[in-house]
Amino acid sequence: MKDLVVSRGGSLNGVVGIPGDKSISHRAVMFGAIADGLTRVRGCLMGEDVLATIEAFRSLGVKIDTRNSDCVKISGVGLRGLRSPTSSINLGNSGTSMRLLAGILSGANIDATLEGDSSLSVRPMGRIVYPLRQMGSNIQMSGNETSPLRVKSARTLNGISYLVPVISAQVKSGLLLAGLYAEGVTRISEKGRSRDHSERLLTKFGVKLDINGNEVSLDGGQSLTGCDITVPADISSAAFFMLGAAISSESEILLPQVGFNETRNGVVEIFRLMNADIEVRDQNVSSGEPVADIIVRTSNLSGVNIPQELIPSAIDEFPAIFIAAACAKGVTVLRGAEELRHKESDRISVMADGLRNLGVKVETYTDGISITGGNMSGGLIDAHGDHRVAMAFAMAALKASGTVSIKNAEGISTSFPTFFEVAKSAGLRIK
Ligand code: S3P
């Protein structure tokens, strides 16, 4: 899937099966590994990012049985049962693996080096390393605050009260996990609400947390108990199909049992503000996570000023939202989103370059973008290895007047290994 060629036009129709949520899959594996007893994970995403987490825990001495990918079995070793790996741990493209593992390893009396691919090696790690050091972690990073991270066994960690300067579930989760190993209380506050999967899943594993608005705290020393988890479909992957159905003619798709956690479903709110025809049905709860069926039909989109309070709950969906904006009537403006520059690629600049290649009028700011909707031509896009950029531009072909070719699209297998087959069977003219 290094290069994609998507012919123009077509519609999306039918029931579209979306793989498991990446954030929840990572956490299910990690928490299962440090729990006591067996954890069974149904619907675990078997994408490269989660596979990197699985391999990391195998190298830390945890038995993880993936022979039946419908039911991954993790034989937990308990909070203190991990052992130091014999070589450095490579986490590929996965920021979630690196930042959450940094928290666990800081407390687990482990010597380990965490490294990643060329994208992960330039992503900011100071945001997790500095507060972990405040807790007593013996963790080093590179001079420019990036990985590799080197963790050496520390004495005991101590709990801290910490206001995370950027809204980040990865930082919050990494610190809470370190907090499990710490003496006293670890209290994490945020200026907005990041995804709360760690809080929900830790509760399922028997950990007691206190949640008060945007502040969460836990007592150190609590153990986790293995359990059964069903992972919902990933709303971040579903978002590309919502986009595709909304911008193409004669489309109607059903996305079954998609995670519909309010800290994640900002994309549905933003698409609705843009006048998308989206119906949410059969809302229920599975393994502590809200899920719903989502139906999307052909829509006449209009440009909007994206409300800044929706940014955290739509943080991964802006590549899809930017393509929707290019297909909408009028101008869409996003400000207050500098964080997009620190994702798997600099998503403001990479998306702006790609949109310009399709003839779309775009202006960028340090913290955002302004996109004037209108006609899109075909063209060549460089996805820079970023899975979400590649999938968003693949969907753009449904509305473009020519073929959209996407190079460096291999990142798609990090989060959506079946994208090609699923998109093709829904109606995308993808090669
Ligand atoms: C994630 C949190 C978000 C998100 C990432 C997954 C997680 O990152 O962008 O794709 O699983 O906790 P930040 O916490 O850095 O905002």
Side-chain angles (χ1 to χ4, degrees):
M1 270 204 298
K2 198 162 165 31
D3 299 317
L4 295 178
V5 178
V6 193
S7 302
R8 71 179 182 89
S11 312
L12 296 187
N13 281 289
V15 178
V16 182
I18 300 290
D21 187 281
K22 182 153 77 73
S23 289
I24 299 173
S25 299
H26 278 299
R27 288 160 170 80
V29 171
M30 291 184 182
F31 302 175
I34 57 169
D36 295 314
L38 183 69
T39 290
R40 287 183 297 198
V41 189
R42 295 203 163 73
C44 188
L45 172 67
M46 299 308 271
E48 281 170 10
D49 277 11
V50 179
L51 293 175
T53 290
I54 290 175
E55 280 312 316
F57 279 95
R58 283 181 173 150
S59 75
L60 292 159
V62 182
K63 280 208 188 77
I64 304 179
D65 182 349
T66 50
R67 281 172 300 181
N68 173 5
S69 57
D70 291 336
C71 180
V72 172
K73 295 193 189 93
I74 305 150
S75 305
V77 295
L79 267 190
R80 308 274 167 197
L82 299 176
R83 58 165 167 69
S84 294
T86 49
S87 54
S88 61
I89 298 177
N90 192 328
L91 299 166
N93 196 243
S94 178
T96 306
S97 311
M98 186 168 284
R99 296 194 180 109
L100 270 62
L101 250 179
I104 293 175
L105 298 186
S106 288
N109 232 358
I110 294 290
D111 288 354
T113 299
L114 305 179
E115 60 187 21
D117 68 7
S118 57
S119 153
L120 185 52
S121 302
V122 293
R123 294 181 66 186
M125 291 298 149
R127 56 179 66 185
I128 182 74
V129 166
Y130 290 122
L132 283 175
R133 281 188 191 152
Q134 275 185 42
M135 296 178 80
S137 168
N138 188 349
I139 182 167
Q140 305 299 325
M141 56 185 162
S142 299
N144 43 0
E145 302 198 350
T146 53
S147 57
L149 303 182
R150 292 191 173 79
V151 191
K152 293 223 174 303
S153 60
R155 293 171 308 277
T156 353
L157 300 185
N158 51 276
I160 53 168
S161 288
Y162 185 73
L163 170 66
V164 186
V166 283
I167 299 172
S168 165
Q170 293 180 356
V171 174
K172 172 180 67 178
S173 304
L175 298 178
L176 288 174
L177 289 166
L180 288 172
Y181 293 88
E183 271 175 15
V185 179
T186 296
R187 180 171 292 112
I188 310 298
S189 334
E190 293 187 291
K191 294 175 191 147
R193 206 152 159 231
S194 65
R195 62 191 66 189
D196 65 356
H197 304 305
S198 294
E199 294 89 314
R200 288 171 187 267
L201 208 52
L202 283 172
T203 305
K204 187 146 173 41
F205 277 90
V207 173
K208 208 179 148 302
L209 302 110
D210 281 326
I211 300 170
N212 205 341
N214 296 336
E215 186 177 283
V216 49
S217 55
L218 56 73
D219 286 334
Q222 300 187 62
S223 56
L224 286 72
T225 307
C227 59
D228 285 356
I229 297 157
T230 301
V231 179
D234 196 327
I235 190 167
S236 296
S237 300
F240 302 107
F241 289 87
M242 295 182 208
L243 161 71
I247 63 173
S248 56
S249 58
E250 293 170 34
S251 291
E252 174 165 345
I253 54 159
L254 166 67
L255 300 156
Q257 294 298 286
V258 177
F260 205 65
N261 180 319
E262 64 176 336
T263 62
R264 289 287 298 284
N265 62 13
V267 63
V268 170
E269 283 192 60
I270 294 170
F271 279 164
R272 278 181 166 160
L273 289 175
M274 298 178 81
N275 201 32
D277 183 350
I278 304 184
E279 204 183 311
V280 177
R281 275 194 207 154
D282 292 334
Q283 293 197 46
N284 54 81
V285 176
S286 166
S287 294
E289 285 283 349
V291 294
D293 289 350
I294 300 178
I295 295 154
V296 188
R297 304 183 187 90
T298 302
S299 311
N300 280 321
L301 299 178
S302 6
V304 285
N305 280 323
I306 298 174
Q308 293 200 10
E309 64 274 15
L310 292 181
I311 293 173
S313 62
I315 190 69
D316 290 338
E317 282 61 78
F318 285 101
I321 292 166
F322 294 169
I323 299 293
C327 301
K329 191 163 179 290
V331 180
T332 295
V333 181
L334 172 70
R335 300 301 299 259
E338 199 191 336
E339 196 48 26
L340 294 183
R341 295 195 179 273
H342 306 296
K343 295 298 176 188
E344 287 82 332
S345 69
D346 173 344
R347 286 186 177 154
I348 292 176
S349 112
V350 169
M351 286 301 299
D353 287 348
L355 285 167
R356 288 188 185 115
N357 288 356
L358 302 187
V360 180
K361 196 172 156 227
V362 175
E363 206 178 321
T364 61
Y365 316 99
T366 325
D367 68 340
I369 195 165
S370 150
I371 299 166
T372 305
N375 295 330
M376 268 189 312
S377 64
L380 175 64
I381 307 297
D382 187 346
H384 288 270
D386 186 330
H387 53 142
R388 302 203 202 279
V389 171
M391 289 186 274
F393 277 107
M395 290 297 171
L398 287 159
K399 188 77 175 176
S401 59
T403 298
V404 178
S405 304
I406 306 158
K407 64 174 184 172
N408 297 319
E410 68 284 354
I412 292 175
S413 24
T414 62
S415 66
F416 202 153
T418 52
F419 177 75
F420 185 85
E421 293 76 24
V422 174
K424 202 176 165 104
S425 71
L428 195 71
R429 297 168 176 170
I430 188 167
K431 281 194 284 209

